[in-house]
Every structure is written in structure tokens, then in C-alpha cells.
Amino acid sequence: MTSAQQDRPIFPFTAIVGQEEMKLALILNVIDPKIGGVMIMGDRGTGKSTTVRALVDLLPEIEVVANDPFNSDPKDTESMSEEVRQQISSGQILETTQIKIPMVDLPLGATEDRVCGTIDIEKALTDGIKAFEPGLLAKANRGILYVDEVNLLDDHLVDVLLDSAASGWNTVEREGISICHPARFILVGSGNPEEGELRPQLLDRFGMHAQIGTVKEPDLRVKIVEQRSEFDANPNEFRAGYKIAQDELTKKIMEARQLLPKVEISYEFRVQISQICSELNVDGLRGDIVTNRAAKAIAAFEGRVEVTSDDISRIITLCLRHRLRKDPLETIDSGTKVQDTFRDIFAWA
């Protein structure tokens, strides 16, 4: 545990009551970051931010080039900075280290320079060198970028996130000087639908969409209140009580990441997934791709190498509900519509 964590203890992920849909979506994105992130929409005070930040404890370690501000992968050219690539081509031996997958918070009031990074023009003109001060996108490379209240984010910052999320690279240009660095991150956003809708372009960038509501059962509400009171009174002791469960879940996620390349999904299931997307008039092929990836990730999480129809049933709503075209006259919920179409095509009763 880092000193920062000791200064501000984090509520344990395994202690969070309910909200299974949100927790599953987050875990699957850690297992396979190429799913493309998750958007969490729900009422105020339903534990959205608490759950996302609790994910920090479960994140596995990755290998990075030591003292590199971009968390460059020493083995993957797509995830390494230009400087590291030059060092490799010149035959230098890189020093590497292990770090936890980084999780970066994007504040609502952040400026474009803070997000993208800045170029020191004076140093560039006087010394003839590119002096770059990395921003939040550099820190988030190969990690998680979390945007709370994402639907309140300024439009120009949304555009920056869209560009980086789509290309995996961040380009900063000032006065004719251009610097490019890798920015491959899992985009996690949360928001309250009452505070405004998300732009369709940004919504489509999220691989999954979890909808959560306020817990209604009085017994569960009491349990949540008691847990929160215990945590606030003595956070370190409360965390110690969940250490075994946390360690077990972390181990399960690590094993799933290693098993993932071996997981297979049958041709018949792939056709049926595409059939569902076609029936629902989902634009583009992102829905097909994400559903296939998520089905493999949940099979790996369960310790299997073969995807079942039950796996697809559990994740297909998360992957497709936000991709359906909005119809103001529609009375049926988008999630229910996805599940009904799934049952028809998979011939489930």
C-alpha cells in the first residue's frame, strides 16, 4: 500500500453492497482493457464514484520503462513514447519496473493544457529542444481515466477525449512545434441522467453502459449505512476485515487476464450476436466487437475457455443498451429491448 493510500484509505470493492451490473462492467474492463471503458449512469448517492475509486485496490501490476512519464511498455511499440523507441533502436538496454495500473481522475474544471500537456515554447526557441510537460493523458496511458460527472464536462475537453480514445495517441501542437505520445486508457465515466444527456459521439466511445438505481430494500439500506459508519469510524480496521476477499478477487482478475487469450467463442454465437445487433439497428460494428470481447472476458473471469450463451446473456445489455437509436415515443426500456431480442434469437424461453 502506498503512503497516499494510507493517508486516505479507500472503501474496499468487495464490501460494496449490490450494484452488481456496475461492478461486473468494471471488472471485465480490467480483465480486457480493449472492451473500451464503461459509462455509469445513476441517481445521486448510489456509490458510483466510491465503486470506481475502490477499483484501485484490485488493479494488477504492469511492466513499465523506469522514469518514463508515459508508462511506456518495453515490449509494445504502440504503447511506448518516441524517446523509448529511439533508445531501443539505438541498442540501449532499458531499465524496467513494475507499477500498479494507474488510475487518473479528470477534474471537471481541468484546462486543456492540464489534460493534454504543455510545450515550453521559450526553451524550444532558445535551446532548440522539445521541452514537454506531460498532462493527465500521459499519466493515464495503459491505465484508467476516470471522469466523474462526465455529462457536465466542457465540449472542447470531450473532443480531446474522443480524439485520444479513438486513436490511442495524444498530439500537442503549439507555435509549429508538435509532440505526440501514446494515450491508451480505459475511459470510465459516471453521471446523473437528471443533469443532462451525454453527446452521442462520446456515449458510443464507451464499451459498456451500466445503469444503477437506489437500493429499495430496507434491510440492504441499513446494511450500507452501517458499513459506511464503520468505515468512517475506523477505516484501516474495516479494510483489514475485507483483506482476504480483496486478495482473492485480485488473484481471480490476474488469472482471468492470463487465461483470456485462450478463450474461444463459437462461430454460431458470433453470428447470433451480430444478428442481435442487426435486429436492434445498432449503428456500426462497435457493438458486435465489444460484445464478443466482453463475453470472452466473463468466461475467463469464471475460469473457462469456452463462452456459453449464459455469458452472452449477462453482458449483452451492458454492451448494447446505449447504442440503440433514441425514440421519444418508445415505451419499452432499451435494456429490456436488448434482452427480449436476445431471447428471441437464442431461443430462450
Side-chain angles (χ1 to χ4, degrees), residues 5-25:
Q5 283 177 306
Q6 287 172 329
D7 292 341
R8 193 178 61 177
I10 299 162
F11 195 85
F13 190 88
T14 50
I16 293 166
V17 176
Q19 314 300 16
E20 298 305 322
E21 190 176 279
M22 168 172 58
K23 291 193 284 189
L24 179 64

Side-chain angles (χ1 to χ4, degrees), residues 4 12 54 64 74-75 90 111 114 136 144 202 290 303 309 313 318 324 337 342:
V64 298
K75 298 184 181 74
S90 65
T111 62
R114 180 74 189 99
L136 295 176
I144 296 172
L202 182 58
V290 170
S309 58
S313 170
L318 285 165
L324 305 193
K337 195 173 180 181
F342 168 83

Side-chain angles (χ1 to χ4, degrees), residues 21-46:
E21 190 176 279
M22 168 172 58
K23 291 193 284 189
L24 179 64
L26 289 168
I27 287 169
L28 295 184
N29 271 276
V30 175
I31 292 169
D32 184 2
K34 289 183 179 176
I35 286 172
V38 56
M39 176 67 203
I40 303 161
M41 291 298 264
D43 306 328
R44 295 182 296 274
T46 46

Side-chain angles (χ1 to χ4, degrees), residues 111-163:
T111 62
E112 190 174 340
D113 282 350
R114 180 74 189 99
V115 175
C116 299
T118 54
I119 297 172
D120 189 334
I121 300 298
E122 187 180 344
K123 204 165 189 178
L125 295 174
T126 55
D127 301 342
I129 57 171
K130 290 181 180 179
F132 180 63
E133 183 65 39
L136 295 176
L137 291 181
K139 285 184 183 176
N141 185 39
R142 301 180 64 207
I144 296 172
L145 183 67
Y146 175 47
V147 190
D148 197 5
E149 307 294 354
V150 65
N151 44 343
L152 302 180
L153 203 62
D154 285 344
D155 275 357
H156 74 282
L157 284 183
V158 170
D159 292 333
V160 166
L161 290 182
L162 283 173
D163 288 343

Side-chain angles (χ1 to χ4, degrees), residues 186-223:
I186 303 169
L187 187 59
V188 177
S190 64
N192 182 349
E194 290 178 2
E195 291 167 351
E197 287 294 318
L198 210 57
R199 278 169 56 183
Q201 304 98 307
L202 182 58
L203 196 56
D204 189 56
R205 288 287 170 210
F206 288 98
M208 300 175 123
H209 186 284
Q211 279 184 355
I212 59 170
T214 306
V215 175
K216 301 294 183 190
E217 297 84 352
D219 291 346
L220 278 182
R221 292 172 76 111
V222 169
K223 187 178 179 184

